[in-house]
């Protein structure tokens, strides 16, 4: 069901003012940076969305000015990656268009930019400096990559504004792809641009599935469907290749299933998901690397967003809870950890055991915008409705608005394990079911302070206040499948992966800190918190530690959710531990 969340927010306001405007907070509940203190807003996911939105609209170095974005379309040299014409501008258009559709915000600069961008399209249909289909080199593949991202952005903009000029430009770009299809959709081209080319490998062609599927869904022109299907049949997860490009190809294949209802494409997407799950490349954070083995050296925000969005889309397509559980784990861990204090997304260096060591590189040219684009998909997945049944699927803040019901969720999961669901309006006989995740030991619902016997409120009424109380504790899981050192454990509290950070305890990180041994303490200390937006007080876990270098001098250590990385500048993390039994 198409829907909008008509939040009273304004992207034009400074972030501090907007937080007050959105959440009714006083200055006493805001940090010096103007963000709500931990748990105070009840809207931690919305806080994260506005954190990145503010970066995109108002951030500096670089600033996403209209001229800066137009340079991307002209392919002018002078900054990094202008040869990927359309990449930056297409992502910017798509992220703001999707955010406007999902969150109900208006971005006047979006319409202004599209009007300036469309005249830069070449008569052949592409954007950028030049293109040679017959003598294709790396720059031609780079241009195809960027134009593919631009086609997606144009279609998302058209879906929002129904601007015929945008659809005309998208058709011309689609026709350009159809014209070069016989050359590029060939084994020779796949062989010529192997994984060694990485960012300009064959994934620059296969990722066209996403834009072509959207173009077919809108126009129903068979030429776009047929090319999309032919490209989908050629996508391949090759060793050492670019994960982001492959996952875009897979997501486009799933979009083609939605547009055609041909199960061939759903089955192909599920097969790709199974292959990834069994690849050995799923990280301890539930995310994926920037490059498939044997080249997995760091993460990439774009790939994390693709993996998150693919799992959410597969859950919508199949109803299989394993996809939602995967998306949830990515969201609470890798996606959150990848969001920088600046609001950017980017790269984390992987340690020798393939666990994230340090979030280090802001990738403003792609990941920041792709990160913003992921928030609408998350927001649109918090609730769903089937006939008279409403389901609360993700334990996040969010708002469901249909013709017959409005429900708003406010989350204090990170502070006291509770989520409040307020029924603002209902005009039908609706039930509400709250999903119990596997990480919750128990889940109790109360409606207007009266306990429900199960996880469904049989009939919600306007004014009802439903509280979901999640019981969580520390649990351990083997980390052998994601790292090379044997007998390591991952520790979780509820949905949050725990780790040791050099921000909190730099003295823990000696030269061979990975061999430190920890013991879980029997009690849980009160957590003082730091009064910041993205802390997770409830997950703070005290442990005893025996340092590998001086075992005669044990120390105390406090593990924290890796999601807290957003609060501060890049630091070192350890997330896989040698856990000793209590003596």
């Amino acid at each position: 069901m198409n829907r909008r969340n008509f939040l009273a927010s304004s992207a034009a306001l400074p972030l501090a003012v907007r937080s007050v405007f959105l959440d009714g907070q006083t200055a006493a509940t805001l940090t010096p940076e103007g963000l709500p203190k931990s748990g105070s807003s009840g809207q931690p996911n919305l806080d994260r969305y506005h954190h990145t939105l503010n970066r995109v609209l108002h951030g500096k170095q670089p600033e996403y000015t209209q001229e800066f974005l137009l340079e991307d379309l002209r392919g002018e040299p002078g900054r990094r990656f202008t040869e990927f014409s359309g990449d930056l501008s297409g992502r910017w258009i798509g992220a703001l268009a999707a955010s406007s559709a999902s969150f109900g915000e208006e971005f006047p600069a979006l319409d202004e930019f599209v009007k300036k961008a469309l005249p830069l399209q070449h008569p052949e249909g592409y954007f950028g400096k030049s293109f040679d289909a017959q003598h294709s080199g790396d720059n031609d593949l780079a241009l195809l990559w960027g134009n593919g991202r631009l086609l997606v952005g144009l279609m998302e903009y058209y879906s929002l504004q129904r601007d015929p000029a945008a659809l005309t430009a998208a058709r011309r770009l689609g026709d350009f792809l159809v014209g070069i299809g016989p050359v590029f959709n060939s084994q020779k081209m796949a062989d010529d641009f192997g994984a060694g080319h990485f960012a300009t490998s064959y994934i620059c062609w296969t990722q066209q599935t996403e834009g072509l599927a959207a173009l077919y869904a809108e126009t129903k022109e068979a030429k776009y469907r047929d090319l999309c299907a032919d490209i989908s049949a050629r996508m391949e997860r090759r060793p050492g290749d670019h994960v982001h490009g492959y996952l875009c190809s897979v997501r486009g294949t799933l979009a083609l299933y939605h547009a055609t209802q041909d199960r061939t494409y759903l089955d192909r997407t599920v097969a790709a998901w199974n292959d990834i799950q069994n690849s050995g490349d799923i990280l301890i954070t539930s995310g994926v690397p920037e490059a498939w083995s044997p080249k997995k050296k760091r993460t990439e925000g774009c790939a994390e967003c693709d993996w998150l969005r693919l799992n959410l889309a597969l859950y919508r397509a199949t109803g299989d809870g394993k996809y939602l559980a995967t998306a949830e784990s990515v969201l609470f861990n890798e996606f959150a950890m990848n969001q920088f204090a600046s609001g950017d997304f980017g790269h984390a260096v992987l340690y020798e055991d393939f666990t994230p060591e340090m979030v280090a590189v802001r990738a403003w040219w792609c990941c920041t915008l792709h990160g913003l684009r992921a928030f609408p998909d998350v927001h649109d997945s918090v609730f769903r409705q089937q006939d008279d049944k409403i389901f609360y699927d993700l334990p996040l803040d969010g708002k469901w608005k249909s013709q017959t019901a409005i429900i708003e969720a406010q989350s204090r999961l990170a502070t006291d394990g509770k989520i409040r669901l307020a029924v603002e309006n209902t005009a039908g006989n609706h039930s509400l079911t709250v999903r119990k995740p596997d990480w919750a030991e128990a889940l109790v619902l109360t409606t207007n302070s009266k306990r429900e016997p199960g996880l469904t409120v049989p009939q919600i009424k306007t004014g009802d206040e439903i509280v979901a109380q999640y019981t969580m504790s520390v649990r351990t899981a083997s980390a052998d499948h994601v790292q090379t050192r044997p007998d390591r454990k991952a520790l979780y509290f509820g949905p949050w992966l725990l780790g040791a950070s050099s921000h909190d305890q730099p003295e823990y990180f000696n030269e061979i800190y990975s061999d430190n041994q920890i013991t879980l303490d029997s009690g849980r200390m009160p957590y003082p918190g730091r009064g910041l937006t993205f802390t997770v007080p409830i997950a703070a876990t005290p442990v005893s530690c025996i340092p590998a270098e001086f075992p005669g001098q044990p120390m105390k250590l406090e593990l924290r959710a890796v999601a807290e990385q957003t609060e501060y500048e890049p630091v070192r993390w350890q997330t896989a531990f040698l856990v000793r039994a209590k003596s």
Side-chain angles (χ1 to χ4, degrees), residues 49-222:
Y49 159 67
H50 276 115
H51 186 43
T52 295
L53 179 66
N54 187 66
R55 160 66 186 102
V56 170
L57 294 179
H58 308 298
K60 308 294 183 182
Q61 296 185 333
E63 183 178 0
Y64 295 113
T65 65
Q66 300 222 346
E67 181 57 32
F68 189 70
L69 294 167
L70 289 172
E71 290 172 1
D72 173 63
L73 292 174
R74 300 186 189 111
E76 298 172 349
R79 68 159 177 83
R80 294 188 77 185
F81 303 133
T82 53
E83 68 271 27
F84 291 85
S85 295
D87 191 18
L88 187 73
S89 52
R91 294 178 195 269
W92 187 89
I93 292 169
L96 291 183
S99 295
S100 181
S102 181
F103 293 97
E105 305 205 53
E106 294 184 2
F107 307 108
L110 176 59
D111 296 330
E112 296 170 10
F113 176 73
V114 171
K115 285 184 175 65
K116 294 178 181 178
L118 296 186
L120 297 179
Q121 189 171 27
H122 288 274
E124 296 88 345
Y126 68 88
F127 291 79
K129 190 173 183 180
S130 63
F131 181 80
D132 185 352
Q134 298 304 318
H135 300 89
S136 298
D138 282 352
N139 282 348
D140 296 304
L141 269 292
L143 183 142
L144 280 179
W145 171 270
N147 275 242
R149 296 297 90 204
L150 180 57
L151 178 57
V152 173
L154 288 174
M155 292 308 301
E156 289 178 316
Y157 179 76
Y158 179 73
S159 178
L160 173 71
Q161 299 289 41
R162 312 306 290 180
D163 179 2
L167 183 59
T168 297
R171 282 178 182 267
R172 292 175 63 195
L173 183 48
D175 291 343
F176 164 72
L177 296 174
V178 170
I180 65 174
V183 172
F184 279 83
N185 208 50
S186 65
Q187 188 60 48
K188 181 182 184 304
M189 192 63 69
D191 293 341
D192 287 349
F193 290 90
H197 290 254
F198 198 61
T200 56
S201 77
Y202 197 55
I203 50 88
C204 293
W205 175 248
T206 61
Q207 57 98 27
Q208 304 294 343
T209 55
E210 189 177 359
L212 287 167
L215 194 54
Y216 170 70
E218 188 61 50
T219 67
K220 299 304 181 184
E221 292 191 33

Side-chain angles (χ1 to χ4, degrees), residues 214-440:
L215 194 54
Y216 170 70
E218 188 61 50
T219 67
K220 299 304 181 184
E221 292 191 33
K223 59 185 176 181
Y224 304 132
R225 177 200 63 202
D226 294 345
L227 179 58
C228 185
D230 291 345
I231 296 174
S232 172
R234 295 206 65 88
M235 70 179 187
E236 179 183 4
R237 193 179 68 83
R238 301 186 294 189
D241 213 347
H242 191 205
V243 173
H244 172 34
Y246 176 72
L247 290 178
C248 284
S249 310
V250 177
R251 290 195 300 103
T253 298
L254 185 57
L256 186 60
Y257 161 71
H258 286 297
T260 63
Q261 292 301 300
D262 185 336
R263 283 195 61 91
T264 299
Y265 309 117
L266 177 60
D267 293 343
R268 186 175 294 161
T269 303
V270 170
W273 187 90
N274 289 332
D275 176 52
I276 294 168
Q277 282 288 342
N278 296 324
S279 68
D281 281 344
I282 299 297
L283 304 175
I284 198 169
T285 54
S286 298
V288 289
E290 181 184 27
W292 302 117
S293 292
K295 294 183 179 179
K296 58 177 181 181
K297 304 298 183 184
R298 63 180 188 174
T299 64
E300 183 186 36
C302 290
E304 314 313 337
C305 295
D306 286 326
W307 185 231
L308 170 61
R309 293 173 64 193
L310 175 62
N311 277 279
L312 290 175
L314 275 170
Y315 175 65
R316 289 193 294 271
T318 68
D320 192 328
K322 68 183 178 184
Y323 301 120
L324 186 62
T326 300
E328 182 178 65
S329 186
V330 175
L331 181 66
F332 276 88
N333 299 303
E334 178 58 53
F335 182 73
M337 187 184 194
N338 199 280
Q339 189 177 24
F340 283 58
S342 63
D344 291 285
F345 285 80
H347 302 283
V349 178
L350 296 178
Y351 192 54
E352 61 189 54
D353 61 0
F354 303 120
T355 57
E357 182 188 36
M358 184 175 293
V359 180
V361 180
R362 296 182 306 121
W364 54 264
W365 54 89
C366 58
C367 297
T368 298
L369 297 166
H370 216 58
L372 178 60
R373 177 58 188 84
F375 282 104
D377 281 20
V378 172
H379 180 258
D380 293 345
S381 300
V382 174
F383 289 93
R384 62 184 169 90
Q385 183 171 342
Q386 182 179 351
D387 300 323
D388 289 335
K389 300 176 181 178
I390 300 174
F391 299 88
Y392 180 62
D393 283 335
L394 286 174
L396 302 170
D397 52 288
K399 193 165 187 175
W400 173 258
K401 185 169 185 176
S402 69
Q403 294 180 340
T404 55
I406 301 175
I407 306 174
E408 183 169 13
Q410 289 196 322
S411 173
R412 293 184 58 87
L413 193 69
T415 52
D416 58 19
K418 293 180 180 179
I419 295 177
R420 174 181 172 270
L421 299 155
V423 182
E424 297 182 1
N425 186 40
T426 179
N429 296 318
H430 293 298
S431 65
L432 175 66
T433 298
V434 178
R435 164 179 164 266
K436 178 183 175 296
D438 290 341
W439 47 260

